Amino acid sequence: MTDKSIFGLVCAGGGAHGAYQVGVLKYIHEKFCSGSRSPFQIFAGTSCGALNTTFYAAQSFDAFQSRLLLEELWLNFHVPAYHGSLFKNVLFSIYKKCRKRDSENKTTWSVLDPKAMLETIQKGFRRENLDRALNQGSTRGVALSATELLSGQTCWFQEGAGATSWSLFHSVGVIDRITHAHLAASCSVPIFLPPVKIGDRYFLDGSVNLDRPLSAAIHMGATRVLSISTDKPFPDALPDYPPQFQPRFSDAIRLLLNRLSRDAAPDEAAEIEMFNRFYNALSRREKHLRDESPLPLFHEEALPSHYRPTEIYLLVPSRRIRQGSPFYEWPQGKISSGEAVSHKRSRFMFHKKFIREMIDFGYQDARLQREELEKFFSPPKKRKYWSIFSRRIRPAVQAEGG
């Protein structure tokens, strides 16, 4: 790791659960800002996480003062239709569709009206502020993901000094000027919100087929990445079904929605940790012989001798989030009678009380992890040895490898 770390922020999707990230970022920018600047220089996100990351990417030159503005933005995002009965929303959408003339029925049908989401995006993302942050250098790169409608391919729209074009793992990196349309596309949950046209193509929620959520931040140059999830992963053990359990249609819908909001960052972080160890084992002796610039993971020309290790810190909620009892945990992987089907979806709970609870939850989780965050933002400096000591430790390394 280099002495000068480049900090990256990655935020996953999750609908109203994105308010948890707001609380975490509020604490971080309250305690770890360098002056008024954000400690992060690289920003990447998807869906609601894209809204949070682009907000701070545009406000990185004055993130300390802006930490309360994002909280206010989320608290004012109160749309009753977004947390009402799904069945009623579907019927109302069909009714409005039938009322339109044939000439007006060419638009894509969706359960929810995108107007409220678009208004929130316009309030939260100021293009002139992002231009200022990029010009001043407080933001080195910003990226958000969206899913191309016909191919299902993940597209990372990038902007900044670290932005490069790439194609890897069924995803592509595209250099583009970030606009409100890009954010709207990243947040457009299939069926619930309509696709968004960018250029000559249509795009949907970036979480649909996202398997490498950390890739864009790493490609843009981040050497230390903080990834914030929006829900605690399910237990490793499969749940035990109660005797009277019967599968319902809502269980299948819930399964699909959970797939949309799945955070693949832990899987990718495990892969990166494996490659970091592989790099340390192979290049410990010969890396000082080459004078080459480090390259990101999976680069086509990357070799162990000049691969750039990336440190990943995963921050996930300490408890699972559910409506009614927002902080719900499976007891030893078991589901109580009726629990699997009784709770409603909380990812569309854009209700002020629920958002307030989520923000406070994220703030408290970050506060409890203050020591780990301090280590993340204050990495140990790389030790330097005189050449005589370097020669002395070489036999030990060789013996260890043999």
Side-chain angles (χ1 to χ4, degrees), residues 278-296:
F278 182 68
Y279 157 80
N280 289 329
L282 290 184
S283 64
R284 189 179 302 170
R285 294 183 59 193
E286 62 268 18
K287 65 180 179 180
H288 67 281
L289 300 176
R290 295 173 178 255
D291 185 17
E292 297 172 330
S293 300
L295 296 173

Side-chain angles (χ1 to χ4, degrees), residues 95-324:
Y95 172 75
K96 290 195 302 181
K97 184 76 171 179
C98 294
R99 287 287 303 269
K100 290 183 179 180
R101 300 175 181 176
D102 293 338
S103 59
E104 298 175 347
N105 268 330
K106 295 180 180 179
T107 57
T108 304
W109 175 84
S110 62
V111 174
L112 303 176
D113 188 348
K115 182 179 179 181
M117 180 66 70
L118 294 175
E119 290 177 350
T120 301
I121 291 173
Q122 292 171 357
K123 292 178 182 177
F125 175 61
R126 300 295 179 89
R127 178 65 224 189
E128 60 273 16
N129 289 344
L130 180 59
D131 290 333
R132 177 182 174 184
L134 292 172
N135 292 333
Q136 292 184 0
S138 57
T139 294
R140 299 183 59 170
V142 56
L144 55 87
S145 69
T147 306
E148 199 276 322
L149 179 61
L150 298 184
S151 66
Q153 194 170 18
T154 299
C155 181
W156 283 100
F157 294 103
Q158 310 166 89
E159 184 176 3
T164 58
S165 299
W166 46 272
S167 178
L168 191 68
F169 296 127
H170 196 61
S171 62
V172 294
V174 178
I175 301 176
D176 203 355
R177 187 175 187 271
I178 304 298
T179 65
H180 293 142
H182 293 85
L183 269 170
S186 185
C187 296
S188 293
V189 181
I191 300 177
F192 291 90
L193 294 171
V196 178
K197 189 175 184 180
I198 300 176
D200 297 329
R201 299 179 178 89
Y202 283 90
F203 293 86
L204 284 166
D205 194 309
S207 301
V208 173
N209 201 23
L210 182 60
D211 293 326
R212 295 294 188 280
L214 308 177
S215 58
I218 295 174
H219 271 276
M220 289 190 293
T223 59
R224 297 181 72 83
V225 178
L226 173 65
S227 175
I228 308 177
S229 183
T230 56
D231 209 352
K232 185 178 180 180
F234 285 102
D236 293 334
L238 295 176
D240 296 327
Y241 287 67
Q244 65 274 26
F245 177 84
Q246 291 293 332
R248 301 181 183 180
F249 177 73
S250 59
D251 295 321
I253 298 299
R254 184 178 297 111
L255 176 64
L256 295 177
L257 291 176
N258 285 336
R259 178 61 183 88
L260 287 177
S261 57
R262 173 181 173 268
D263 184 12
D267 297 336
E268 188 178 7
E271 293 178 356
I272 293 175
E273 175 62 22
M274 179 189 67
F275 276 97
N276 287 344
R277 294 181 181 180
F278 182 68
Y279 157 80
N280 289 329
L282 290 184
S283 64
R284 189 179 302 170
R285 294 183 59 193
E286 62 268 18
K287 65 180 179 180
H288 67 281
L289 300 176
R290 295 173 178 255
D291 185 17
E292 297 172 330
S293 300
L295 296 173
L297 180 62
F298 300 128
H299 190 282
E300 59 182 2
E301 298 179 0
L303 299 173
S305 58
H306 62 283
Y307 158 64
R308 180 183 62 213
T310 305
E311 300 294 330
I312 309 295
Y313 179 49
L314 300 175
L315 200 156
V316 301
S318 56
R319 287 168 287 183
R320 289 196 61 78
I321 302 165
R322 286 294 180 265
Q323 180 183 344

